[in-house]
Amino acid sequence: MTSKRSSLVVPVPSEGDFTSRLRSPAVAARVGLWLGISFGICFLTGLISHYAQNGNQPIPFPATPFWGYRVTQGLHVISGTAAIPLLLVKLWAVYPKLFQSMPWGDVRAMAVTGLERISIAVLVAGGVFMLLTGLLNTAQWYPWSFSFRPTHYAVAWVTIGALVVHIAVKLPIIRDALTGDVEDTTHDRPSAVETGALSRRGLLRTTWAATGIAVLATAGSTVPFLRNISVLAVRTGDGPQGVPINRSARAAQVTMEEGGAGWTLDVVNGEGVATSWSRGDLEQLTQRTETLPIACVEGWSASAEWTGVRLRDLLDAAGVPTGTDLRMVSLQKRYAFGVTELQGNFADADKTLIALKLNGEDLSLDHGYPARLIAPNRPGVLQTKWLTSVEVI
Amino acid sequence: MAGVSLTRSALGVLGFLVGVYGAYLLLSRQDFDQLLSAAIWLAGGVVVHDGLIALAALGLAAIGARLLPSVARTPAAAGFVVLGSITILAIPMLGRFGAKDDNATLLDRNYGLGWLGIVVLVVAAVLVASLLRARTSGETGAPDTRTDLEGDPS
């Protein structure tokens, strides 16, 4: 009876059933090195992006260089994309470990093995989660009910913590593997002896190629000269007036009438006194033109020529001293970031404009007509569109 | 040697503390339904990889080892690594699941055609490499008869 039942059940493999000599620490450490580097870049650039979006900034996020956030957030998404082939090959190389038997009987060994396996489970779950949710976020696909930003941020800390523990546990093997020859078998499992279609060098070169293709196929969303070859990029970089949009006026429930004859931009100073300008009034003030990127948290970016009034000029007219933090209020009625904070160093930056024109034309409604904020080195979600008031906090 | 173990212990403690901080952030900022959804996605990624993607890779490698002539196996294995990872990466774009009818600037390419272009280039490279190998080795290649679990590595 027992033997009959077991013959009907799919057998669970053991570590020894995996015989390819490619599933080796020599391969895993080399792929893991680049995977670790890409996770590190993702983590650091992610911290920058998270901080840039924080209302509360003990150390003000700098307004220079104007292209800074475009580069860090582009790098964030590019290195995350590069990590996808790397993670798949890395998990393939260590897959037999999933079927490693527990050292039953020896309590201390069981505790050590158990702890290590828990840390690996956390690392794999976190790593897959980060790349998957990040990828889906670039394509604005949210088939879950958790909030993306706090969850992606929190799991990043969990994943990096588990990665550091993993490196601590494996350090001697990593060091041996990376300093030794790729063909070295010192740390291989006894069964990992069979040569297959690919050599170890062949698998590594293929992995680097897959990683390079993944980057080239997607990075055009933010790297202009790759636009024509990035066939999987979520944005061509084109759109109304030459710039893509993220949130349409329809989605934000803003209409052309609201920005019509009755519209004014109100600047409310520290005493609560408002100074108001109609769009016609703003057009009479000194107009400045700045070339600044819209750099979205989802990793796409596009540079454009913005024309309008320097925000500092309006603040001077309204009696707002330099170094004052501001609240930017939009006409938008739906979604987050309808009210954002603009730190004093951004408000005072010469390049920070209340833009009225984009690439030589009046702003289209989807780009924030009648007026929008455009500031250097700032995440796209904070470049408030459909501005209605600017208030001293 | 004591120095080495000290480095490792310090790294281990650091990693643990960083992870605990992340867990605190995760658990303290959202309600139960959101956390449940996050837990499902955390566990789901592992289950889908270990139970589906890894098995599919094993199965396809075994099929390739049986059906492909020996000269084609190395190029095909390399092509499989490239196409497999690129295809997984392309799923959100191919499905256009995040597309919005009020925003024509999002997902504004023909992704099916783009993906097909990559497939054609990779398959062409595999064919050319296989033909070159056939010419240099002078053999046509016999089907492989191995029956072990792994067949060709992918």
Side-chain angles (χ1 to χ4, degrees):
Chain A
M1 190 63 195
T2 313
S3 65
K4 190 181 177 191
R5 182 187 287 176
S6 68
S7 70
L8 290 173
V9 174
V10 177
V12 174
S14 72
E15 233 187 322
D17 292 329
F18 295 90
T19 55
S20 168
R21 67 187 299 277
L22 298 187
R23 302 199 202 243
S24 150
V27 172
R30 282 169 174 80
V31 178
L33 175 67
W34 287 103
L35 186 59
I37 289 171
S38 62
F39 270 38
I41 294 172
C42 279
F43 185 62
L44 293 176
T45 52
L47 292 185
I48 291 171
S49 178
H50 194 80
Y51 194 76
Q53 291 176 70
N54 262 3
N56 175 27
Q57 296 176 350
I59 303 165
F61 194 76
T64 53
F66 71 87
W67 41 261
Y69 187 75
R70 181 183 201 183
V71 170
T72 61
Q73 197 58 10
L75 209 54
H76 183 76
V77 172
I78 287 171
S79 60
T81 307
I84 291 173
L86 294 172
L87 181 67
L88 287 167
V89 175
K90 175 74 164 74
L91 290 179
W92 182 87
V94 299
Y95 190 58
K97 290 276 183 191
L98 184 63
F99 305 101
Q100 192 178 23
S101 56
M102 280 293 276
W104 301 114
D106 182 342
V107 176
R108 192 176 175 279
M110 276 171 64
V112 171
T113 308
L115 281 174
E116 198 210 332
R117 297 198 75 174
I118 289 169
S119 79
I120 297 289
V122 171
L123 178 57
V124 174
V128 171
F129 182 90
M130 292 307 289
L131 298 187
L132 183 63
T133 54
L135 174 70
L136 267 56
N137 185 53
T138 67
Q140 297 198 15
W141 179 23
Y142 306 104
W144 49 66
S145 52
F146 55 83
S147 178
F148 172 77
R149 189 180 153 220
T151 313
H152 196 69
Y153 180 69
V155 177
W157 283 95
V158 173
T159 307
I160 288 295
L163 176 59
V164 172
V165 169
H166 180 56
I167 291 169
V169 171
K170 297 290 184 189
L171 201 56
I173 294 180
I174 295 171
R175 187 180 292 141
D176 274 9
L178 292 181
T179 53
D181 192 84
V182 70
E183 302 295 346
D184 188 73
T185 56
T186 312
H187 295 289
D188 286 5
R189 289 170 297 111
S191 65
V193 291
E194 193 181 315
T195 50
L198 283 171
S199 65
R200 286 181 179 180
R201 282 193 177 81
L203 175 63
L204 290 174
R205 285 188 192 124
T206 302
T207 305
W208 314 146
T211 305
I213 292 169
V215 169
L216 290 177
T218 54
S221 287
T222 189
V223 183
F225 68 85
L226 290 177
R227 273 177 188 167
N228 292 331
I229 59 168
S230 288
V231 293
L232 300 176
V234 292
R235 306 270 181 168
T236 58
D238 206 359
Q241 304 178 317
V243 179
I245 57 163
N246 221 29
R247 180 168 303 140
S248 71
R250 203 180 94 195
Q253 295 181 345
V254 178
T255 63
M256 206 67 189
E257 288 72 47
E258 289 174 275
W263 176 87
T264 56
L265 177 67
D266 306 331
V267 177
V268 184
N269 69 14
E271 283 83 50
V273 179
T275 310
S276 301
W277 289 269
S278 68
R279 201 182 136 103
D281 296 337
L282 291 171
E283 284 167 354
Q284 296 306 310
L285 302 175
T286 308
Q287 301 293 298
R288 324 258 183 184
T289 297
E290 300 285 353
T291 302
L292 289 172
I294 284 282
C296 195
V297 287
E298 282 117 34
W300 67 268
S301 64
S303 188
E305 205 170 78
W306 308 88
T307 303
V309 184
R310 188 178 282 169
L311 176 58
R312 190 64 246 171
D313 292 350
L314 297 181
L315 298 177
D316 287 342
V320 178
T322 56
T324 307
D325 292 348
L326 304 170
R327 188 183 295 126
M328 314 300 284
V329 183
S330 170
L331 291 168
Q332 83 180 59
K333 296 171 195 67
R334 288 179 65 206
Y335 297 110
F337 298 105
V339 177
T340 61
E341 279 178 39
L342 186 73
Q343 278 69 25
N345 59 322
F346 281 90
D348 298 342
D350 283 350
K351 284 182 177 294
T352 300
L353 301 182
I354 301 302
L356 307 173
K357 289 172 180 279
L358 166 53
N359 288 332
E361 297 172 23
D362 283 346
L363 283 175
S364 70
L365 186 60
D366 278 339
H367 279 306
Y369 180 89
R372 75 172 297 168
L373 172 71
I374 185 79
N377 199 26
R378 191 165 166 85
V381 285
L382 301 180
Q383 307 277 28
T384 311
K385 299 199 276 193
W386 311 294
L387 264 184
T388 177
S389 69
V390 175
E391 299 160 6
V392 171
I393 295 175
Chain B
M1 285 311 283
V4 172
S5 85
L6 186 68
T7 308
R8 291 175 67 198
S9 309
L11 267 181
V13 170
L14 174 73
F16 178 74
L17 292 176
V18 166
V20 167
Y21 174 64
Y24 160 74
L25 285 178
L26 182 64
L27 296 173
S28 63
R29 309 236 163 134
Q30 296 183 76
D31 64 32
F32 179 78
D33 285 348
Q34 290 175 311
L35 289 177
L36 184 67
S37 173
I40 288 168
W41 279 78
L42 276 162
V46 179
V47 170
V48 168
H49 175 270
D50 290 357
L52 214 68
I53 296 176
L55 286 187
L58 275 171
L60 286 169
I63 291 169
R66 272 164 190 75
L67 298 184
L68 290 171
S70 63
V71 290
R73 272 180 222 151
T74 299
F80 176 65
V81 173
V82 172
L83 279 187
S85 48
I86 297 294
T87 301
I88 288 173
L89 172 74
I91 289 171
M93 295 79 165
L94 288 169
R96 300 177 53 81
F97 303 103
K100 296 182 180 68
D101 58 9
D102 64 340
N103 187 353
T105 70
L106 173 67
L107 297 166
D108 57 350
R109 291 172 187 269
N110 185 337
Y111 296 102
L113 199 64
W115 177 80
L116 209 59
I118 296 177
V119 172
V120 167
L121 286 177
V122 172
V123 169
V126 168
L127 286 176
V128 168
S130 303
L131 289 173
L132 287 175
R133 281 168 168 259
R135 185 186 287 178
T136 49
S137 69
E139 62 175 58
T140 52
D144 190 67
T145 52
R146 285 178 300 177
T147 54
D148 61 284
L149 178 64
E150 295 232 84
D152 279 2
S154 46

